[in-house]
Amino acid sequence: MVRIEGAVALVTGGQRGLGRALTQELLARGAAKVYVTARKPEASADPRVVPLELEVTDPDSIAAMAEVATDVEIVINNAGVLRSAPLLKAEMADVVETFETNVFGPLRIAQAFAPILEANGGGALVDIHSVLSWSSGAGAYGASKAALWSLTNSLRIELAGQGTQVVGVHLGFADTDMVKGIQAQKLSPAEVATALADGLEGGATEVLVDEFTRQVKSGLNGPVENLTLPFLR
């Protein structure tokens, strides 16, 4: 269980979309400082917000950030990309980029910040997953989220000894620019941020944000074809 009030947090992709909502929620709950990353960060009028340049596919960029953000107690892996092409028609460069960003990026962040979290008392590592972690037909994006889910579950075991709370957050689509072209019911980013923060402070290891996600998770013991979302067929 992690206390947000007075804590120092890091939110990758924290200056737009869901990342911005997460940052605002952390600050509303009293976070002392939030590092927010972007490829081209913009200055913030709030002195509690510290923008940092980051390319999650670049190990040197991650290492440079870790040298600056040595006081972090909460890490939220939020940055991601979505390429919607079916796997058999996708450009392999897009598939590789998706995994580099959505899977290997968060893993590199975890590797870089695990010692920092330990030095600062354990803290928390939060990975943003998706209901598509458990669904077929979502191309490289769904496959990458499934891989990240597995990775998060393994990291939870590996980080338990240092007292780091590892949280996986699953949701349908949040109403952000990344999914504006997808026709589906969408959650407000603020709703997702509230659920994440509640789960973090409540000691959760997994947060299922919306009812649809909870229904899909409960059906994991059924046939795989039953988990294909209608709008992805």
Side-chain angles (χ1 to χ4, degrees), residues 4-157:
I4 295 175
E5 185 176 4
V8 177
L10 165 70
V11 181
T12 65
Q15 288 202 306
R16 57 181 295 184
L18 179 57
R20 180 186 295 129
L22 294 171
T23 299
Q24 292 172 343
E25 182 67 23
L26 291 170
L27 293 173
R29 297 194 185 212
K33 182 195 300 184
V34 182
Y35 294 100
V36 295
T37 78
R39 290 190 178 99
K40 296 180 179 180
E42 300 177 357
S44 173
D46 191 326
R48 299 171 297 172
V49 176
V50 181
L52 294 176
E53 182 177 353
L54 176 67
E55 172 51 66
V56 298
T57 65
D58 181 355
D60 291 336
S61 179
I62 292 172
M65 180 182 67
E67 289 182 2
V68 173
T70 58
D71 51 350
V72 164
E73 299 161 274
I74 300 170
V75 174
I76 301 180
N77 275 316
N78 165 72
V81 296
L82 189 156
R83 302 286 184 262
S84 58
L87 288 172
L88 292 179
K89 297 180 180 179
E91 295 290 338
M92 280 306 300
D94 288 342
V95 175
V96 171
E97 179 197 10
T98 297
F99 272 76
E100 283 287 350
T101 304
N102 295 355
V103 183
F104 304 130
L107 177 55
R108 292 187 181 103
I109 295 286
Q111 290 177 333
F113 279 89
I116 293 172
L117 292 174
E118 182 177 23
N120 293 329
L125 172 70
V126 183
D127 288 336
I128 304 297
H129 302 298
S130 168
V131 68
L132 300 179
S133 301
W134 309 313
S135 172
S136 57
Y141 180 80
S144 72
K145 289 299 185 179
L148 180 59
W149 178 46
S150 179
L151 184 152
T152 300
N153 292 336
S154 294
L155 288 175
R156 185 175 298 114
I157 295 171

Side-chain angles (χ1 to χ4, degrees), residues 175-183 186:
D175 191 8
T176 65
D177 287 343
M178 189 172 75
V179 298
K180 64 183 179 182
I182 295 177
Q183 299 300 314
K186 297 174 184 177

Side-chain angles (χ1 to χ4, degrees), residues 131 172 187 191 208-218:
V131 68
L187 303 161
E191 182 180 355
L208 307 180
V209 176
D210 55 296
E211 181 59 29
F212 180 65
T213 296
R214 290 189 285 272
Q215 290 176 358
V216 172
K217 177 68 183 294
S218 69

